[in-house]
Amino acid sequence: MAATDWYAHKSLENGVFWIQERFYESGNRANIWLIRGSHQDVVIDTGLGLRSLPEYIQEKSLLGDDAKRKNPLLAIGTHVHFDHSGGLHQFQQVGVHKAEVDALANGDNFETVTWLSDREIVEVPSPGWRARQYRVKAVTPTHILQEGDVINLGDRQLSVLHMPGHSRGSICLHDKESKMLFSGDVVYDGSMIDWLPYSRISDYIHSCERLVEMVDKEEIDQVMPGHYNTFGGKRLHRLASNYIASAGTCHRASTSVVKSIASLALRASNSRSAC
């Protein structure tokens, strides 16, 4: 299957494109965001990487032909979970938070929580493809990100916000001028996942408190999440506040059990050698 068939996109306002993998039908299907700048373009998250995302972007002319863009496209992972990081190896420039650099560089499919089934791929990307063969390919990041870093696109800047909880290296990217937040899996319009091997509820609470504060300060008008649809600041405030309110003793106890089971299952699943 050609890359042009595997992906689809929509053009949004302010030079932002929303890209998805058409034949990955799962709640884990991640949103891929492409942001054009006057001197640098950025893709935020890269999906599974089963077909070439750079090829799709080029074939669809999503970057235009502006000669001022002298820098190669920068691919940033909001975190290294497989549904977001699988295509990072396809890019010359790759950025992730410093806490997850080693996991990506080592191809650690436990920390990337690689878990894919045949039924989720409704049309195989190549003859004979099977989900059991799938692994996140190792890549050494060229950009090691941390809290406070600014990604300069020329006419717009993206501030790196370290927001752990879902994973230890989860980040959001904040366009302060447009009040737009690219939130990864820190928050989306669904149940927040805090039971994975490197999830931590106390960190998640703190991250949600930061989000509530940002909304209260009117710093966020629109959220471009890692999954599902976009939403506004009021919805973000409610989602973050609800998580804080629900993360009590009972939640922590039940989550601990689920986390143990998930960790064992992931260890077993990813002990296999890639075919």
Side-chain angles (χ1 to χ4, degrees):
M1 182 184 295
T4 50
D5 296 323
W6 182 257
Y7 299 98
H9 73 274
K10 293 180 181 179
S11 178
L12 307 181
E13 60 186 37
N14 290 330
V16 176
F17 296 86
W18 184 1
I19 304 174
Q20 287 193 320
E21 297 172 285
R22 295 175 59 211
F23 302 110
Y24 179 30
E25 294 187 358
S26 168
N28 288 329
R29 182 176 68 178
N31 295 325
I32 299 167
W33 302 103
L34 175 65
I35 309 168
R36 294 186 60 177
S38 59
H39 297 293
Q40 174 75 67
D41 304 307
V42 169
V43 61
I44 300 174
D45 293 331
T46 57
L48 298 175
L50 294 178
R51 296 288 86 187
S52 174
L53 181 56
E55 180 182 337
Y56 178 83
I57 292 170
Q58 180 178 359
E59 290 295 322
K60 295 297 183 179
S61 301
L62 300 188
L63 300 183
D65 56 1
D66 190 340
K68 293 181 180 179
R69 291 187 182 84
K70 298 180 180 179
N71 297 319
L73 182 61
L74 170 61
I76 296 177
T78 59
H79 58 304
V80 298
H81 290 168
F82 77 103
D83 47 330
H84 297 259
S85 68
L88 288 176
H89 70 279
Q90 300 170 348
F91 294 85
Q92 297 179 44
Q93 294 194 103
V94 175
V96 296
H97 188 267
K98 63 180 182 178
E100 294 180 346
V101 166
D102 289 344
L104 187 61
N106 295 332
D108 182 350
N109 278 271
F110 175 72
E111 184 156 358
T112 62
V113 297
T114 300
W115 204 326
L116 187 64
S117 67
D118 286 333
R119 67 178 179 274
E120 294 174 299
I121 306 299
V122 297
E123 288 196 27
V124 296
S126 57
W129 183 92
R130 293 291 182 272
R132 66 176 180 273
Q133 301 169 343
Y134 178 78
R135 293 292 183 274
V136 173
K137 294 182 180 179
V139 57
T140 300
T142 57
H143 292 61
I144 300 174
L145 306 176
Q146 57 186 332
E147 172 75 26
D149 286 349
V150 176
I151 310 299
N152 185 5
L153 309 188
D155 58 345
R156 65 199 308 169
Q157 286 75 43
L158 299 174
S159 298
V160 176
L161 309 177
H162 183 210
M163 296 279 198
H166 177 70
S167 78
R168 58 182 172 179
S170 283
I171 61 171
C172 295
L173 295 169
H174 185 215
D175 185 333
K176 293 181 180 179
E177 184 172 345
S178 67
K179 298 186 178 181
M180 188 177 292
L181 184 76
F182 296 87
S183 66
D185 280 4
V186 175
V187 61
Y188 46 79
D189 202 350
S191 180
M192 298 183 193
I193 294 177
D194 57 6
W195 43 262
L196 294 169
Y198 289 92
S199 301
R200 189 173 178 181
I201 292 174
S202 58
D203 287 342
Y204 222 146
I205 292 172
H206 178 65
S207 293
C208 285
E209 289 172 343
R210 289 188 67 188
L211 292 173
V212 168
E213 182 179 6
M214 290 177 72
V215 176
D216 287 342
K217 291 181 177 179
E218 300 184 346
E219 295 175 347
I220 301 171
D221 284 341
Q222 190 172 18
V223 180
M224 324 300 277
H227 299 274
Y228 313 126
N229 295 321
T230 62
F231 52 91
K234 289 183 179 179
R235 181 60 177 162
L236 171 60
H237 194 284
R238 182 176 298 176
L239 289 167
S241 297
N242 286 348
Y243 179 82
I244 295 168
S246 67
T249 302
C250 291
H251 177 79
R252 289 170 184 262
S254 61
T255 298
S256 178
V257 174
V258 176
K259 184 174 183 178
S260 297
I261 295 170
S263 296
L264 288 171
L266 282 165
R267 288 287 188 201
S269 176
N270 290 297
S271 65
R272 304 186 305 262
S273 297
C275 299

